[in-house]
Structures are given as C-alpha cells and as structure tokens.
C-alpha cells in the first residue's frame, strides 16, 4: 500500500473528525492508506451513512401486511395484488442542480430510475417536487428553466413519463433550490432483486458506462457541506447525464432479470464502486474482492483512489451465479454495453481492492456500510419559534376587492397552472397515464389488470417552518387526501427530507419534529414509510432553507374505471363541501401574497376526522355517487373552487352561496383549514352522500351548483349577504394558465 | 467590423454522450482509427463600433456568464477583423 | 402480421405492440434493428417513436444506418406497408424514404399535448377509414417536429397529393396557432408517391383506448387492419 501519505491535514481536508479517524484506526488495527481514507470518507459521509439522521429515522413505522420491502434497499416495495408489486422511492439532487441546473436535474432522474430498475421493476412513472426562489429574479428563471429542461431531457429520452409533481417559489430557496425526483416501477412480486452479494465465489460484474474522473466526492461531499464561496472550486464534480446509455442499461438489466442468472444487483450511485461493493457485501455478510485494472475506464492513468470514488453515471454492479458470466455478457453485448468480471464474492467479510495484484484497500465491508458513526446531535427549539407563530388578526385589514385578491393569488407561480412545465415532459409514453398532469394525483393504469396506481408528492414548507411537527403531519394528510380524491386507497410513503445544517441544534430540532409529525399521521392513515432519503446542509452562507420534508405517496385504485378527477363535469351538479371551514389564516398563501406575511400557526389537524373524511370520499367515488373531488389546500376554498371550474379540458362556471358562521371573509375565502374536500354530485345522489357523511360524523354542506360561465361566490357574514367574488371563467383561466408563461417570457 | 468565432466544448474530463455515440456509429459504418469525438457548439458574433480589446473582454464575459457553463464546459474564441 | 422495429433508444415500441396485440388482437412481433431481412410474413412494418441513439447528433441520423433499414427499403419497394411514427418519421426522412427534414420546434422546447390534425387524403392504407377533411385529436410528443422542405419539394408534395395530415383547429381550419411546432404548410404527416410509406408526428398508439380518454388513434389502426385483411 504505497501511495500518498495520509497526514493530519489530508484527514481534515476529507472532513473526517478526530473521533471518526480514531474509530477507523481501531477497526483496522493499523494506519490507513490514501485509498482507504477516500473510501471511509465517502461511506461515512452524511449522504451515505445517514449519521445525523439514523437515530431519528428509526422512529418511523415501516411495516404493514402489504409491505414487501421497507427502507434499507435501493427502493421500497409494496404488494398491489395480481402477483405484482409497486417499487418506489424519492431522491434529492439539490446541490448539483444549483450548480448546473440541466445536468444536475437530468442525472437526478437517471439516479432514481436506476434505483427502481435494479430492484427488477420497470419504471412506469416519475413525479418531481421542485423549489426555487421567486421568479422575479433572473437567476431563478434560469434555474427553473434549466431544471425543467433537464428533467424533460432525461425522462423523455429514456421513455418514462413524468406525470405530475409540485413546484413552490419562495425566498427561502434563493441560495438552495430543491430538486426531488420520485419514480415508481412495477415488478413481479416474486422477482424482486436486491443488492446482496451472496454465494461465495460468485463473480462480481461491472456493467454500463466506462469510469471517468467525474463526480469524485460529488454527492458525498456536495451533499454533506454547506455552500460558500468555495463552491465554485467544487464545480467539476457535476456530471453529464447519458439517458441513451441508461435506456440500454435498463433494457439489458430487465432482460437479464427475466432469466435465472444473477443473485444481486446495485446501482453505482453516490460513491460509485465503493458504496456498491461494500453495501452489497455488507447486506449479505460476505466480502468482495475486486481488481481495479479490469474496470473499464474512459480516461488514462486513473488512480485507485479515483476509481473507487468516481461517480460516473449509468453504471451497475452485478453479482452473477457462477458459470453464468458468458450469458450475462451476451445480453449486455446485444445492447452494445460492456460487462466485465472485476472480482468475486469472498467469505471473509472484507472489501479487498487490488490494483494489478497489489492490495490497495482491505476493510471489513460492514464497517463501511453499517458501522459508520451515528450521532444524536444536540437539539434546540429555535428562539424565534414563538414570534413567528404569533399572528394578530385584528391588525390585518380586510381587502376591499376580493376579485382582485383571487386573481393575484391565481397568478402567483406557486398556485398558477404548471402547464408550461408539464407540456415539456412526455407524460403519455407507455400509454398508462389515465389522469394527465393537473389533477390532485397522477394515475397510472397497471396493464394486464383492472387496477391503477395513484401517486403524489407534497409538502408545504411554510407550515413546516411555522410548526414543524404539525407541518409534517399536514403534509402526509394532504398527500393521502390527494390520493383519495383520485379514487385511490393510500398504501405507503417514501420521503425526501430536505433540511439545513444538522450541526445546528435548531435544524436538528426541526428534523426531529418533522419525523414525529410524519410518523403520527402515517400511523393514523396506515401508510408506512418504505424508502426515503435525507438531504442536509441546504444552507448558503449560514442561511438555511425552511424545513422541507417532501412526502411521496402511492395508493391503489382497484378498478381503473373508478378513477376520479378534480374538475367539475356537468352543469346542474351540486357542489358539496366535506369538512368544515375554520378561521385559519396562519401560514396561508393569502397572507404571503397579499400581506407579505409568513406567520401564525398552520391549520390544526384532527387526524381522526381526516381519516373519516377520506373514507367518505373514497366510498362515494367507489359507489359512483360523485362526479369530481378536489382537495382544498393552498389558496383555500376560493382557489379550490376556481381550479374545479378551469382545470379540466372544458371550463365551466359555478354559483356559490356560503353561510359565514362568524368567520372573517378573507379566512372564509382563502383560509386553508385542513381536512376539506370539494365534490360535485348529481342532485339525486345528494341524499345518499349526506347519509354516508353523517354516518361517519363528517360535516357536509351544499355550497352551490355548477352553472354558467362565471364564478360567483356569495357570502353571508354577520347576517348580511353580499357578493364577494364575481368573475368570468375565461378571465380566471387566462390568469391561472398564462401566469408562468408570462413570468418566463414564453408567450 | 469585428467578428468573433466562439467554440464551446465539454471539458476533457466530462463525459460527452453525443461524441461517444457518434464515434460508435462511425465505427459501425467502417471508419477506423478514430481516437475520440467531442461535440461542441460554434457561434459567430458580429460587433459594430467596438475596438478589438473591447470585443475581446466582452466575449470573455459573455462566455463566462452565458455562452458556456464553466462547470462542465470550456470555451475558446478567435477574433477576426472584417471590412 | 405486424412488425415493430426496435432501434436502440426506441421507447414507443411496447406501446405500439400493446395496441395491436391487446386492443386490436392482431398478430404482431418485434423486429430487432440488426435484422438484415424482413420476413415474408409481415404485411406492415412500424418504425416506432422514441429517441433512437438518444437523438444525439440529429434525430434519426444514426438509426437510419441500422441494418434493418436496408431491409425496410426493400420491403417497401415490394409493396410492403411502412408506418413511421414520430422518431420513426424522422428516421424515414433521414433515410430518404420520404422527402424533407425535421428541425427544432419553433419554441425550441419539447412539446407533449393533444393537437388536431385534418385528414387530407383517405386513399391510403393508413387513412381509408377516415373521411376527407375529418379532424382527429391526437397527442404529439417531440422536440423536432418542425417539418421543413424546399419550395419545389413542397409543391411536388402538394401536386402528387402526398400530404396526409395537417395541423388545424378543432374545426379543421389551418391557422398559425393550430401549428404547434412551426411545420411548413402545417404538415403533420406525409406519404411517398406510391402511398405505402407514411410518416406522421402524432402518436395514434397513445389514443386508441377509452380508458386513456381519447380513441381517435383507432382510425389509423383500423385502416391498416382493413388493408391487410382484404
């Protein structure tokens, strides 16, 4: 092991703490080589080891009868019947996307797709959850445009539809945008593949693109440190995605998995060869020995350190059955890809790396993959917490013109139609997209069955900032409501937890609160956590983002014909509100856009009532009682009603009449009380729906009917009746549909 | 009039998927001895009323700010004096 | 028997297969791009949509050199029916089996949405179930669908009645707004003089089932099936 000498400075430059270094020495019983230093650094980085989050993530409930695979593998797996399973996960690619938006987002899509197809599933749909600074700033227009193009560029080329998602714009993301990508695939239930290196003597095979010097210390370091001026120097760590090669890799891997040739497979994602070898051996309790001179390279003269740490994209590591090497090679050759045996599975539990016969690293695999450090970092409730929750409504003046308020909210990019975005995504390829983007959830039929999957991603980070526990719970509740409004029964979640610097006690407190909020809602809604990802250090020059725990949820629709959409269908249908309006203005989009305030407590959440409302809605859909269902969330009742009128193929008006019950007018129209669903129903089904709701103690009120070409909302507040909103549907639609196009200057 | 020719290519260490695929296609067609192909962008910029020195510093700034993303791309340019 | 060619990077191959096999219950097989011959059993060959060779360099430019393309040319010469959808259309253009080229959409971006086309020609194996002037709602999904040909070529396309589909409004009016990508003369699909090779940008395989909310694509497949049965 004669390479660069490991000095104190070098250890420090790698970001290892003194204790961590001492632990390594204790594990090895000797000094470590330069290559080993690199290996330990990436495996023990925040990104790969989850060292700050592990102790908290354990609190999640991860089991239920339909869970086939919980966290710890490349992706989570749930049983969907008919001998099939849904495989899904979400991941972040925040830091690379901030530096190079197109390629950062593109390689993010590539990474999550590999996580799905390594499990033996064919990816069938993607979603994404994006956060940017305000579009008034040229920089954020550029980032927004670049990220959307990158997602389109990769997803469209590989032929996996992007069927929905969500985008928020807020100053908190000025220095750190978020790019979280979700993918779901379908596999045969009894043909799920895992990242395990079992079977002593089995060959270890490298497949896919050649290895270059790209991304060395990319994910592991970029995602484990804050941004500062030095980020400029880290630049070459961003990679270029190659969706064409990944398409070949996808087809070759699925063809391979159809035959009985392999025992384990894993994506070479963050920390490439290092993480795939040590994790596969670690999970199986075996060792792996590889010879680096056999690794296909793109550049000459790469050192063992570089080869082990390279994060070149579109590569996989396979453990095949002994004697099947030739058959594996032939399949990859058919798809013009390389497959090279670079080592074998050993029984001693050691990751042994050789370079032309000489050992350059020799480390117990489990020490890397499982025995990394775990910190119970100090936590502290932020001092500002009380102040931001304080909201004196008496100081907030009622607006004079509610028409104007509604139009302004509809035009804000967070609320406005994302048509400009999803028209750039191929959302129809694979011909499974039953509900096109723009409804509460994406719906994908499962060919060969009567079923469909409903998928959604969600998070209101303003709620999470104001009250992290409640925000976490509300996020899960809204995700489930979105699934239910599409006719699905929620099954399980994946998460992508985006936070600031975990070494700050306030950030760690937020993280812990979010976990508890998510956990509570998940247990009530019976949606276990099956996979996930943590992204810390979303900070720039000491300023962290709002806590943004994004939830991706999957639900099942038993009869694809009973799929529901959010828009009104028929003139004369009655408009019914399930749930209750309260005076909830805290953390609302209205306060932010109209009054410039991000204050107050988020809407309260009664999880028992939430469960009941969702049950009523789902039952009504299954029995064919209702014609539309829409979750009422950001922008409140007025925005939800507008969306019901204008988000479908044919717009239609509505006449609304609401009894205020002493609630302020602005809160009635734009407040964001939780657990509310707007449905439209044929008049003669109304009584059945009412009985159904009353049986479960769910508040139900008829608030108007689908009619005409205007949205007219009349209110009765303190005994006097007046028209608060009266606008032409066409004007509402122009404002809502055209807003983002106007912001990005594409008109 | 001053004319500039700007070339933008991916950095040497960065994977060039297009170059790689084109190389393979040419090899399938029977062309031999191709060591490497790098694809790039070529731009011509014509200036009016600018000195050569001004044009040069402008182009440099344009490349740094917009024409190239120096995270993954290199650029070079030539300046020509026209009639 | 229908054949669907798989090029490296094709991604609508399975969609075409699904529609023919499971919706129309036809005999259908995949044809690998390295095949040098097309079996006599095949009556129709489909070049599906996708990103053959990643669309790197130019769309269709590399795929057109696949061994199977020589066989497709012979197949067409012998009277076989060839349908190129989206990327398949682009490959047919690069291969010179249809005239013209595709350039970047006028707004530079990839566009995925439903548009309307007007059927200009019904005496083809692809459109015999349509009425002249009928409009179809079909989805497009491409970044390079902006059809370009020089004025002489356009004139001869017109003269020889080779224009099969044009982008129009729902009511069949040719307008600039109805043209999603800037194509010359709103051209969405053309055929060769003999009428047995057609290229079209919209995707009929994406709209041939009620559950997907649109069945206008069925006209194309029904036409093809009628052609090979009789």
């Amino acid at each position: 092991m004669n390479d660069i000498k490991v000095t104190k400075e070098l250890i420090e430059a790698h970001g290892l703490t003194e204790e961590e270094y001492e632990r390594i020495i204790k594990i090895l019983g000797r000094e470590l080589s330069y290559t080993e230093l690199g290996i330990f650094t990436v495996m023990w980085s925040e990104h790969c080891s989850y060292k700050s989050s592990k102790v908290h993530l354990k609190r999640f409930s991860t089991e239920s009868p339909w869970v086939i695979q919980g966290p710890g593998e490349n992706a989570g797996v749930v049983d969907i019947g008919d001998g099939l399973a849904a495989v899904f996960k979400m991941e972040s690619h925040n830091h690379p996307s901030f530096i190079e938006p197109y390629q950062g987002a593109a390689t993010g899509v590539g990474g999550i797709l590999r996580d799905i197809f390594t499990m033996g599933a064919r990816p069938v749909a993607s979603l994404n959850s994006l956060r940017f600074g305000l579009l008034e700033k040229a920089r954020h227009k550029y980032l927004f445009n670049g990220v959307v193009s990158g997602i389109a560029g990769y997803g469209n080329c590989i032929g996996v539809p992007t069927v929905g998602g969500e985008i928020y714009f807020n100053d908190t993301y000025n220095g750190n945008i978020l790019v979280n990508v979700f993918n779901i695939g379908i596999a045969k239930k009894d043909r799920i593949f895992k990242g395990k290196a079992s079977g002593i003597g089995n060959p270890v095979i490298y497949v896919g693109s050649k290895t270059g010097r790209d991304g060395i210390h990319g994910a592991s370091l970029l995602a484990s440190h804050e941004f500062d001026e030095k980020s400029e120097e880290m630049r070459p760590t961003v990679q270029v995605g190659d969706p064409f090669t990944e398409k070949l890799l996808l087809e070759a891997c699925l063809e391979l998995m159809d035959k009985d040739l392999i025992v384990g497979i894993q994506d070479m994602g963050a920390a490439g060869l290092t993480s795939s070898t040590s994790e596969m051996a670690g999970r199986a309790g075996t060792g792996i020995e590889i010879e680096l001179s056999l690794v296909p390279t793109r550049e000459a003269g790469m050192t063992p350190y570089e080869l082990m740490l390279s994060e070149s994209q579109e590569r996989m590591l396979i453990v095949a059955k002994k004697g099947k090497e030739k058959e594996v090679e032939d399949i990859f050759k058919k798809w013009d890809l390389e497959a090279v045996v670079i080592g074998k599975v050993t029984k001693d539990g050691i990751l042994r790396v050789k370079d032309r016969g000489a050992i350059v690293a020799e480390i117990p695999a489990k020490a890397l993959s499982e025995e990394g450090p775990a910190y119970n970092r100090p936590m502290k409730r932020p001092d500002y917490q009380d102040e931001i929750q304080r909201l004196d409504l008496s100081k907030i003046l009622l607006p004079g013109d509610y028409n104007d308020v509604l139009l302004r909210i509809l035009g804000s990019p967070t609320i406005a139609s994302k048509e400009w975005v999803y028209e750039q995504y191929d959302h129809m390829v694979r011909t499974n997209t039953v509900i096109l983007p723009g409804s509460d959830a994406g719906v994908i039929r499962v060919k060969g069955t009567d079923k469909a999957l409903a998928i959604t991603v969600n998070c209101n980070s303003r709620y999470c900032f104001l009250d992290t526990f409640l925000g976490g719970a509300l996020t899960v509740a809204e995700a489930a409501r979105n699934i239910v409004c599409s006719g699905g029964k929620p099954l399980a979640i994946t998460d992508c937890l985006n936070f600031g610097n975990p070494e700050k006690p306030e950030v760690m407190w937020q993280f812990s609160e979010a976990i508890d909020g998510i956990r509570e809602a998940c247990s009530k809604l019976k949606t276990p956590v099956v996979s996930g990802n943590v992204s810390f250090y979303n900070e720039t020059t000491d300023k962290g983002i709002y806590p943004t725990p994004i939830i991706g949820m999957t639900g099942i629709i038993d009869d694809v014909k009973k799929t529901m959409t959010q828009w009104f269908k028929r003139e004369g249908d009655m408009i019914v509100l399930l749930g209750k309006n309260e005076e909830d203005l805290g953390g609302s989009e209205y306060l932010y856009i109209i009054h410039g305030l991000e204050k107050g407590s988020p809407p309260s959440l009664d999880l028992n009532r939430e469960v009941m409302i969702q049950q009523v809605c789902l039952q009504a859909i299954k029995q064919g009682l209702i014609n539309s269902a829409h979750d009422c969330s950001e922008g409140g009742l007025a925005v939800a009603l507008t969306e019901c009128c204008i988000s479908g193929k044919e717009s239609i008006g509505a006449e609304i009449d609401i009894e205020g019950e002493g609630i302020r007018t602005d809160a009635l129209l734009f407040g964001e009380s939780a657990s509310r669903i707007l449905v439209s129903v044929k008049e003669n089904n109304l009584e059945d729906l009412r009985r159904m709701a009353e049986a479960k103690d769910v508040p139900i009120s008829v608030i108007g009917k689908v009619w005409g070409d205007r949205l007219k909302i009349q209110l009765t507040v303190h005994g006097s009746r007046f028209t608060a909103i009266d606008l032409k549907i066409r004007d509402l639609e122009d404002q809502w549909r055209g807003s983002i196009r106007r912001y990005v200057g594409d008109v | 009039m001053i004319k500039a020719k700007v070339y933008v290519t991916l950095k040497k260490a960065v994977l060039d998927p297009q170059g790689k695929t084109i190389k393979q296609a040419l090899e399938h067609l029977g062309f031999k001895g191709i060591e490497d192909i790098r694809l790039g962008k070529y731009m011509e910029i014509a200036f009016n009323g600018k000195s050569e020195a001004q044009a040069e510093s402008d182009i440099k700034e344009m490349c740094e700010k917009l024409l190239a993303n120096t995270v993954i791309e290199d650029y070079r340019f030539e300046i020509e004096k026209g009639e | 028997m229908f054949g669907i060619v798989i090029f490296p990077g094709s991604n609508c191959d399975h969609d075409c297969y699904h529609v023919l096999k499971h919706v129309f219950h036809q005999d259908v097989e995949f044809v690998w791009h390295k095949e040098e011959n097309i079996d006599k059993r095949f009556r129709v060959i489909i070049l599906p949509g996708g990103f053959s060779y990643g669309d790197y360099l130019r769309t269709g430019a590399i795929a057109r050199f696949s061994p199977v393309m020589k066989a497709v040319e012979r197949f067409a010469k012998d009277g076989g029916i060839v349908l190129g959808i989206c990327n398949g259309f682009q490959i047919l253009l690069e291969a010179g089996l249809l005239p013209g080229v595709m350039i970047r959409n006028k707004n530079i971006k990839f566009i995925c949405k439903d548009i309307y086309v007007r059927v200009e020609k019904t005496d083809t194996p692809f459109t015999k179930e349509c009425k002249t002037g009928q409009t179809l709602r079909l989805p497009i999904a491409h970044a390079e669908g902006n059809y370009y040909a020089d004025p002489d070529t356009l004139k001869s396309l017109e003269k020889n009645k080779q224009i099969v589909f044009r982008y129009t409004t729902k009511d069949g009016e040719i307008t600039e707004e109805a043209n999603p990508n800037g194509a010359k003369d709103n051209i969405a699909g053309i055929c060769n003089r003999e009428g047995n090779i057609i290229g079209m940008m919209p995707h009929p395989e994406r709209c041939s089932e009620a559950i997907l909310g649109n069945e206008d694509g069925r006209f194309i497949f029904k036409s093809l099936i009628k052609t090979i049965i009789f």
Side-chain angles (χ1 to χ4, degrees), chain A residues 46-50 53-54 57 60 71-76 88-95 108 112 115 178-182 219 223 270 493-499 511 515 518 529-536 538 548-552:
Chain A
E46 189 64 59
H47 187 80
C48 293
S49 76
Y50 292 84
S53 56
K54 255 195 291 211
L57 294 173
F60 278 148
E73 266 292 339
N74 287 305
F88 62 100
K89 194 187 180 184
M90 182 160 42
E91 258 195 6
S92 62
H93 232 217
N94 306 337
H95 301 80
I112 193 70
D115 278 334
L178 301 184
V179 175
N180 288 188
V181 281
F182 168 102
I493 71 160
T494 179
D495 58 57
C496 204
L497 309 171
N498 306 275
F499 287 78
F511 186 78
I515 296 272
I518 292 167
V529 180
V530 295
S531 57
N533 174 242
V534 177
S535 171
F536 278 131
N538 291 288
T548 315
I550 293 170
I551 299 296

Side-chain angles (χ1 to χ4, degrees), chain A residues 460-477:
Chain A
N460 183 321
S461 66
R462 190 182 303 129
Y463 291 173
C464 294
F465 166 64
L466 296 171
D467 183 333
T468 317
F469 178 93
L470 184 52
L474 283 165
T475 295
V476 177

Side-chain angles (χ1 to χ4, degrees), chain A residues 164-405:
Chain A
E166 50 148 28
I167 311 176
Y168 285 72
F169 302 87
N170 188 296
D171 276 330
T172 188
Y173 303 109
N174 276 348
N176 296 80
I177 62 171
L178 301 184
V179 175
N180 288 188
V181 281
F182 168 102
N183 188 270
I184 187 165
I186 292 172
K188 287 189 188 122
K189 189 179 149 182
D190 55 358
R191 299 287 290 165
I192 303 289
F193 286 82
K194 295 188 181 172
K196 269 190 187 164
S198 355
I200 312 302
N202 277 338
V204 174
I205 305 179
Y206 171 113
V207 303
S209 289
K210 290 184 191 336
T211 300
R213 286 195 177 87
D214 25 22
I216 291 172
H217 284 318
S220 44
L221 285 199
L222 270 182
S224 301
H225 291 274
E226 289 179 34
F227 272 9
D228 52 29
E229 293 71 38
K230 271 197 236 148
S231 302
E232 298 285 308
E233 291 166 28
M234 285 198 214
R235 284 186 150 191
T237 53
V238 175
Q239 300 135 67
V240 171
D242 182 357
F244 170 57
T245 297
E246 179 136 315
K247 169 70 175 167
L248 301 180
L249 194 59
L250 160 70
E251 296 301 334
C253 284
L254 292 180
E255 194 173 322
L256 179 77
M257 289 159 163
D258 230 17
K259 303 193 166 81
D260 194 24
L261 302 174
I262 67 169
V263 298
I265 177 166
Q266 181 158 336
D267 164 36
M268 281 192 231
L273 210 42
T274 293
S275 64
S276 52
T277 49
S278 56
E279 286 174 10
M280 286 184 81
R283 286 193 198 105
T286 57
I288 279 185
E289 183 177 309
I290 57 169
E291 168 55 57
L292 290 178
S293 61
L294 299 172
V295 172
T297 55
R298 207 171 72 223
E299 295 173 70
M302 288 184 69
T303 64
Y305 179 97
E306 290 172 329
L307 284 166
M308 288 306 286
L309 268 56
S310 162
E311 293 183 358
S312 288
Q313 301 281 303
E314 291 92 20
R315 302 180 300 163
M316 295 275 207
L317 198 69
I318 289 173
V319 173
K321 292 189 170 162
K322 213 174 173 175
K324 303 287 185 191
E325 296 86 340
K326 176 78 174 52
E327 281 172 73
V328 173
E329 267 171 46
D330 285 347
I331 289 173
F332 284 91
K333 203 182 278 168
K334 175 187 160 191
W335 291 97
D336 297 326
L337 291 169
E338 276 189 276
V340 183
V341 177
I342 60 163
K344 60 174 190 279
V345 178
T346 59
K347 67 173 171 199
D348 60 7
I350 304 283
L351 170 63
R352 190 173 293 109
V353 183
K354 291 181 174 175
D355 183 28
R356 280 155 295 175
I359 293 173
V360 293
E362 203 167 22
I363 306 169
K366 278 207 164 134
L368 293 169
S369 64
E370 284 164 34
E371 290 154 18
Y375 298 127
N376 206 337
R377 295 195 188 273
M379 299 192 283
K380 182 174 175 287
R381 186 174 186 267
D383 295 332
Y384 57 75
Q385 207 67 33
D386 288 332
E387 171 54 30
I388 57 174
Q389 289 186 353
R390 207 168 293 138
L391 179 65
D392 183 357
L393 284 182
S394 69
K395 296 221 171 89
I396 293 164
L397 295 178
L398 285 171
D401 181 351
Y402 293 104
N403 284 336
D404 177 59
V405 170

Side-chain angles (χ1 to χ4, degrees), chain A residues 519-594:
Chain A
R519 184 180 67 137
E520 182 159 312
C522 280
S523 82
K524 268 275 167 5
L525 293 160
K526 298 198 173 59
T527 51
V529 180
V530 295
S531 57
N533 174 242
V534 177
S535 171
F536 278 131
Y537 297 99
N538 291 288
E539 297 215 9
T540 300
T541 48
D542 215 33
K543 205 168 175 312
I545 57 163
Y546 286 173
T548 315
I550 293 170
I551 299 296
M553 188 178 281
T554 297
I556 183 93
I557 299 171
D558 289 325
D559 179 357
V560 65
K561 294 195 184 83
K562 298 269 169 68
T563 294
M564 189 48 63
T565 48
Q566 70 181 29
W567 42 86
F568 295 146
K569 312 278 184 311
R570 239 183 103 253
E571 272 202 335
D573 277 357
M574 308 305 285
I575 300 168
V576 173
L577 176 70
L578 300 174
K580 203 166 175 325
N581 303 319
E582 314 267 0
E583 197 162 86
D584 282 311
L585 279 179
S588 65
E589 201 63 26
Y590 159 78
L591 271 194
Y592 179 56
I593 292 167
I594 305 300

